[in-house]
Amino acid sequence: MYIIYLIIVVLAFVINIYLLTKNPKADGGQSGVAPVVQMVIGLPMFLGSSLIFFLLHNTEVAKDFPAIFIPLPLILEIVYFTFTKDIFKIHSPDFDGKLIRSYVVSTALATVIGYVLHSIF
């Protein structure tokens, strides 16, 4: 499961780079720092998800439903953006809204890919 979490964080980083460089705009170079922030957010997501899995992997629920732990990075990211109140900017048309959308979408897509990889292997 730790490998799946690492794959989710790295894929979120790569997908975020793709999403932000797909439509280059004159944003004053702000989009260049977005993947760095994604990794700064991604590292605690990986560590937090791994810690939660480590503490709960011997429970009956974890043994019966191991795939329940796969969306932990996405859940932790949404909790983080809710805690910092950045989640309210998700629908704003400015660059801050685009950044928050790219973070959430990239982690969601990486989580789906991680779930598919988990079900294949």
Side-chain angles (χ1 to χ4, degrees), residues 4-50:
I4 297 291
Y5 291 147
L6 191 60
I7 288 171
I8 287 173
V9 169
V10 170
L11 278 175
F13 176 71
V14 171
I15 292 170
N16 193 3
I17 290 173
Y18 173 74
L19 288 175
L20 288 175
T21 59
K22 183 175 61 170
N23 296 327
K25 281 176 130 178
D27 55 12
Q30 293 176 352
S31 63
V33 76
V36 175
V37 174
Q38 175 74 22
M39 281 311 284
V40 168
I41 293 170
L43 187 62
M45 278 187 336
F46 169 72
L47 294 175
S49 301
S50 298

Side-chain angles (χ1 to χ4, degrees), residues 73-93:
L74 179 63
I75 293 168
L76 289 176
E77 183 175 42
I78 291 173
V79 166
Y80 169 75
F81 284 136
T82 304
F83 181 72
T84 61
K85 294 184 178 83
D86 286 337
I87 200 75
F88 300 118
K89 297 179 189 175
I90 201 163
H91 294 294
S92 66

Side-chain angles (χ1 to χ4, degrees), residues 3 11 35 54 93 113:
I3 301 295
L11 278 175
F54 177 74
I113 292 170

Side-chain angles (χ1 to χ4, degrees), residues 51-82:
L51 180 66
I52 291 170
F53 178 72
F54 177 74
L55 293 174
L56 299 176
H57 75 280
N58 285 331
T59 62
E60 291 298 320
V61 174
K63 290 177 182 176
D64 293 339
F65 306 104
I68 199 168
F69 291 104
I70 292 175
L72 276 177
L74 179 63
I75 293 168
L76 289 176
E77 183 175 42
I78 291 173
V79 166
Y80 169 75
F81 284 136
T82 304

